[in-house]
Amino acid sequence: MTRQERTAWGFVLPVLAIILFVFALPTVLALALSVTDYSIYALADWGALRFVGLGNFTDLLTTPLFWRALGNTALFALLGVPMAVGTSLAAALLLHDASVRWKPLWRVLLFAPYVTSVVATAVVWRFLLNTRFGLLNHALGWVGVPPVDWLGDPHASIPAILLFVTWKIFGYNMIVFTAALSAVPHDLMEAARLDGASRWTRFRHVTLPAIGPTLLLAAVMSVAGFLQIFAEPYVMTLGGPAQSTTTVLYFMFDEGFKWWNLGQASAVAFILFLMILALTLVQARIGRRYEWL
């Protein structure tokens, strides 16, 4: 082994060790627990641990709340990913415009929600969305709209949480898109403009292909993030009203740390892992089709 190879392994091994102990090992252990009835009784006495095979998975298939949580999670992802990625890209395009002044200031202000505490900001948004004295309903009252029970109405709870989540996270992708837009070839944009291409045509045929890999990355990260949404509904609605905001991760938390059914919670975690993996593979295939990978 040459000196350069030893140096390379010296840099790589710590990262591989972190991946092994933080990601790979917990995944294997969760899979092992998912085929047992590991519970609070097994915590006290390992003799109470039994192998149940696929029993936890078949039980989940007959649990209505699991399917409700799965549907809620899918709805969060279907609505939230376009909202988060779309607002991020729109903000990045606005800030990329040459006519915008004080760009660093706007970037800091728009990125600030991303680095604030989820719990703290969720509590603030609970007050903003309050039915009686929330600022949002107060503003709606100015235009004659009656108060909306944002967090108490099953039909309004998911849109309300999505509004908060989009505000909270879009700043990260905005910064990533801003960096990608700065790498778009200026000569191609200028040539398209001189040829009479409209703003939309330039975006579709010049900007979008250039930022395609970044758009794919934002989509992959956003899908994984929305499928793992937990803190926001936990703080704002506790999974309600009428279980309308109970997500897969929220259901897993209840099974594991409320009812101490850790074997079934591990089964939920493994199903969520397979869902994210499958969707990531689909997105990667789409990326290869458009030569973004």
Side-chain angles (χ1 to χ4, degrees), residues 2-243:
T2 64
R3 182 179 178 181
Q4 289 183 340
E5 291 175 340
R6 288 195 299 269
T7 303
W9 278 109
F11 283 105
V12 170
L13 284 178
V15 178
L16 292 178
I18 293 174
I19 293 175
L20 175 64
F21 289 105
V22 177
F23 295 102
L25 185 60
T27 302
V28 174
L29 292 177
L31 177 60
L33 289 180
S34 67
V35 295
T36 69
D37 63 347
Y38 192 73
S39 65
I40 193 171
Y41 302 104
L43 286 173
D45 181 15
W46 282 84
L49 182 66
R50 294 183 302 115
F51 177 79
V52 297
L54 298 178
N56 288 323
F57 296 93
T58 56
D59 288 344
L60 287 174
L61 297 180
T62 58
T63 303
L65 183 55
F66 172 73
W67 289 105
R68 180 68 183 274
L70 196 63
N72 292 338
T73 304
L75 188 59
F76 270 115
L78 287 174
L79 298 178
V81 172
M83 286 178 60
V85 176
T87 53
S88 302
L89 183 56
L93 290 170
L94 287 174
L95 291 178
H96 186 67
D97 194 278
S99 62
V100 176
R101 301 175 61 185
W102 303 319
K103 292 183 181 181
L105 176 62
W106 289 114
R107 287 168 184 167
V108 170
L109 291 177
L110 294 175
F111 184 71
Y114 180 78
V115 296
T116 54
S117 168
V118 175
V119 175
T121 50
V123 171
V124 172
W125 271 74
R126 284 185 61 184
F127 286 101
L128 292 175
L129 299 172
N130 188 274
T131 306
R132 296 177 57 189
F133 51 82
L135 291 179
L136 184 56
N137 278 328
H138 188 63
L140 292 176
W142 289 348
V143 294
V145 178
V148 179
D149 190 3
W150 293 104
L151 301 179
D153 184 353
H155 299 290
S157 54
I158 287 183
I161 292 177
L162 282 175
L163 183 64
F164 163 66
V165 174
T166 301
W167 169 84
K168 179 73 175 64
I169 68 173
F170 90 101
Y172 175 81
N173 286 334
M174 180 199 70
I175 296 297
V176 175
F177 282 132
T178 300
L181 289 172
S182 64
V184 176
H186 181 71
D187 54 345
L188 291 180
M189 292 291 292
E190 188 64 20
R193 188 183 66 81
L194 293 175
D195 287 341
S198 64
R199 185 182 294 269
W200 166 250
T201 303
R202 294 198 302 270
F203 172 77
R204 180 181 177 184
H205 295 287
V206 179
T207 304
L208 194 59
I211 66 170
T214 305
L215 185 63
L216 177 63
L217 173 64
V220 170
M221 299 296 291
S222 298
V223 168
F226 276 99
L227 289 180
Q228 298 178 81
I229 190 170
F230 166 73
E232 294 84 355
Y234 180 79
V235 175
M236 300 180 73
T237 61
L238 289 175
Q243 300 169 343

Side-chain angles (χ1 to χ4, degrees), residues 246-269:
T246 299
T247 61
V248 172
L249 208 59
Y250 193 103
F251 177 79
M252 183 195 74
F253 175 84
D254 271 357
E255 287 293 316
F257 300 103
K258 183 178 181 180
W259 308 115
W260 290 100
N261 190 355
L262 298 174
Q264 193 165 59
S266 299
V268 175

